[in-house]
Amino acid sequence: MTSALALAFAGVFGAAGAAQAQSRDQIRIVGSSTVYPFTTAAAEQFGKGGQFKTPVVESTGTGGGLKLFCAGVGAGHPDAANASRAIKKSEFEDCQKNGVTEIVELKIGFDGIVLANSKKGPDFKVTRQQLFLALAKEVPGPDGKPVANPYKTWNDIDPSLPAEKIEVLGPPPTSGTRDAFLELVMEKGAEKVESLAALKKSDAKAFDRSWKTIREDGAYIDAGENDNLIVQKLEANPKAVGIFGYSFLEENGSQIKGAAVEGKAPTFEAIADGTYKVSRPLYVYFKKQHVGVIPGLKEFIAEYASDKAMGEEGYLTEKGLVPLPKEMATTAEDAAKKLATIGAPAS
């Protein structure tokens, strides 16, 4: 590090932070388990260039990763955070409060959230309403008032579903996949239940509680942030189903199969064209204040945002990433090259 750069760094982080930074010559990234394989692939490709060390990537979950990312600036804090949802207003405000005032957002592509089970198990064809009824802590009773979820088997909800115990291995509250599943499946499913659709109009807060609260009686099992472990558990228990990102289905297609949701199977094409409704964008957030301080950070951002990585025929597509449309990808690459920073999100 040049003396001029060290002085500049001291101005941003303080003299102690500058001294600490000189001891770290490797990019550190935390966050989403869904984005982890993509960022790991980009990190390995970057390391092969030989100019900089391969970045260290940790899977901590989106919420946990952004908490670490927003905790402060300096070598003691990560340089980037993977996220399977956009940063929340509260997280952005935490960043600002702790001095992380310049954040570069890179939208890398799309992912589908899948419900999958062992190839030895039954085929699933479900609606979001059926998934809500299977997993909500409370559902409307015969009189429309909320009751503890009474459904024990899938065919209790609908005779067309398998006559198997409801046993779903899913992500924990810190996971961006959990957040996205709640919004894309549970909320949309609740809206299809007549009494809850009425509740949404009369008492929005009570409606939100209905779809945000997952049952705790053993039907939903918090399986942690390790999606590979969920795949192993599904193979061991063909009657269970799991919730995770499409890339893990793609990687483990010889062992597990995805459920059709509202008539659409979770395929690359269906996620790309939007006909598979349970899909979401993926992000990586970078700390601009670490550019020029942590060796290779600017170059790594450029590598990640490049067409050879994120493009339609890029190496991340081979890992299961569904690429952005061309125009959106060009915008993302331009913003990354300029290190454009984001403002506060609306919510």
Side-chain angles (χ1 to χ4, degrees):
M1 181 185 294
T2 66
S3 57
L5 190 55
L7 285 170
F9 187 47
V12 179
F13 302 107
Q20 195 182 26
Q22 293 182 63
S23 66
R24 180 150 76 80
D25 60 355
Q26 199 168 18
I27 297 165
R28 183 180 166 222
I29 304 164
V30 294
S32 165
S33 62
T34 300
V35 183
Y36 173 83
F38 306 130
T39 299
T40 298
E44 289 171 352
Q45 189 73 20
F46 182 68
K48 285 177 185 175
Q51 188 179 355
F52 303 100
K53 288 188 175 181
T54 302
V56 174
V57 189
E58 299 172 64
S59 177
T60 62
T62 296
L66 284 167
K67 187 174 183 180
L68 291 167
F69 177 83
C70 289
V73 291
H77 303 283
D79 310 302
N82 298 321
S84 54
R85 56 161 173 77
I87 190 171
K88 295 177 180 177
K89 184 180 180 183
S90 59
E91 292 165 335
F92 181 87
E93 289 170 349
D94 279 343
C95 271
Q96 300 294 304
K97 183 177 67 178
N98 294 323
V100 184
T101 55
E102 295 180 287
I103 302 168
V104 176
E105 178 186 84
L106 175 62
K107 186 183 288 187
I108 66 167
F110 295 98
D111 182 46
I113 299 175
V114 302
L115 190 78
N117 64 328
S118 168
K119 286 202 163 180
K120 302 169 194 168
D123 291 338
F124 274 87
K125 294 180 181 178
V126 294
T127 66
R128 287 181 282 184
Q129 180 180 346
Q130 289 166 346
L131 289 172
F132 167 79
L133 293 172
L135 297 176
K137 185 174 183 178
E138 294 185 334
V139 297
D143 60 358
K145 292 181 180 178
V147 297
N149 195 320
Y151 301 118
K152 303 298 182 189
T153 63
W154 290 98
N155 68 338
D156 283 344
I157 296 167
D158 191 293
S160 68
L161 296 174
E164 300 288 358
K165 178 183 172 184
I166 298 170
E167 189 174 353
V168 178
L169 304 169
T174 54
S175 170
T177 299
R178 167 96 160 231
D179 291 336
F181 181 80
L182 288 172
E183 291 179 13
L184 295 171
V185 173
M186 297 297 284
E187 182 179 11
K188 298 300 182 187
E191 288 171 352
K192 297 293 185 182
V193 178
E194 190 175 338
S195 60
L196 292 178
L199 180 65
K200 183 178 182 179
K201 294 177 182 177
S202 63
D203 189 342
K205 286 186 178 179
F207 172 76
D208 285 348
R209 283 194 299 273
S210 74
W211 61 264
K212 287 182 177 178
T213 312
I214 299 284
R215 62 195 297 182
E216 300 169 340
D217 57 358
Y220 183 93
I221 301 154
D222 181 337
E225 295 286 1
N226 188 337
D227 291 339
N228 286 313
L229 189 59
I230 298 180
V231 172
Q232 291 169 22
K233 288 181 176 179
L234 295 181
E235 202 177 4
N237 181 6
K239 294 182 179 180
V241 297
I243 297 168
F244 39 75
Y246 167 75
S247 63
F248 286 90
L249 175 64
E250 179 86 348
E251 285 177 19
N252 298 279
S254 61
Q255 302 158 276
I256 57 175
K257 56 187 175 181
V261 179
E262 289 169 5
K264 277 288 176 181
T267 64
F268 183 95
E269 293 76 17
I271 296 167
D273 67 19
T275 54
Y276 182 74
K277 299 300 182 184
V278 194
S279 60
R280 39 71 191 275
L282 303 176
Y283 303 87
V284 184
Y285 291 94
F286 295 95
K287 208 167 282 182
K288 186 175 179 179
Q289 287 147 292
H290 285 195
V291 170
V293 176
I294 303 300
L297 184 57
K298 182 178 181 180
E299 291 82 358
F300 178 67
I301 296 170
E303 166 69 35
Y304 210 141
S306 68
D307 187 62
K308 70 174 181 177
M310 288 179 13
E312 288 185 9
E313 297 181 13
Y315 58 79
L316 297 181
T317 304
E318 295 172 14
K319 291 282 182 182
L321 182 70
V322 178
L324 298 170
K326 188 67 179 174
E327 189 175 326
M328 199 181 289
T330 301
T331 300
E333 187 173 0
D334 288 347
K337 282 179 181 174
K338 294 173 183 173
L339 298 176
T341 57
I342 59 170
S347 59

